[in-house]
Structures are given as structure tokens and as C-alpha cells.
């Protein structure tokens, strides 16, 4: 089998809890891990493609906080 080789292209796409389409891509990344931050709650598919063109994908659901956020003055 062939090992994965950097650089990598990471992408995430899906539908937020507000039923809006969301897509973000990070290209030409040398690290074998990447973090997408500040994602709204929703259902997403995350994909990575290495320099050989080999790809892997997975689907994940991101949930909001367990209790409502509150603010006091």
C-alpha cells in the first residue's frame, strides 16, 4: 500500500443548524492534521486529499452547548 504524502487539501462542507450551506477549504497544508474552528452546529462531511490524490472522508455532527449561554452584568 502507498503511504500518504503531504501536502494535503482539507475541506469541510455541510448544512448548519440554520439550514444554511457551509463550505471551507484549506489547501497545500504540510501537516497531517488540520483544525476547522468556529464551526456552527450542524451536519458536516470532512475530506482530506494527499499529494498522491488519495482521499478519505467522514461525516460528523456538531452539537451546540448543552445549556443556553447566559450573560450577566
Amino acid at each position: 500500500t502507498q503511504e500518504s504524502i503531504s501536502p494535503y487539501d482539507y475541506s469541510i462542507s455541510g448544512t448548519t443548524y440554520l439550514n444554511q450551506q457551509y463550505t471551507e477549504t484549506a489547501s497545500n497544508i504540510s501537516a497531517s492534521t488540520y483544525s476547522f474552528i468556529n464551526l456552527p452546529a450542524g451536519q458536516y462531511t470532512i475530506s482530506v486529499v494527499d499529494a498522491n490524490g488519495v482521499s478519505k472522508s467522514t461525516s460528523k455532527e456538531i452539537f451546540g452547548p448543552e445549556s443556553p449561554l447566559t450573560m450577566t452584568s
Side-chain angles (χ1 to χ4, degrees), residues 16-71:
T16 70
Y17 72 100
L18 295 172
N19 205 29
Q20 297 174 330
Q21 294 300 309
Y22 183 94
T23 302
E24 185 177 344
T25 302
S27 299
N28 206 26
I29 307 296
S30 60
S32 61
T33 61
Y34 184 82
S35 296
F36 291 100
I37 58 172
N38 296 323
L39 295 170
Q43 183 71 38
Y44 297 95
T45 299
I46 303 102
S47 301
V48 61
V49 181
D50 73 3
N52 291 322
V54 177
S55 65
K56 266 197 148 172
S57 297
T58 189
S59 294
K60 295 292 178 185
E61 185 167 3
I62 297 174
F63 297 95
E66 292 180 17
S67 59
L69 300 175
T70 58
M71 187 170 94

Side-chain angles (χ1 to χ4, degrees), residues 1-5 8 50-55:
T1 59
Q2 194 172 18
E3 289 187 39
S4 65
I5 297 175
Y8 303 95
D50 73 3
N52 291 322
V54 177
S55 65

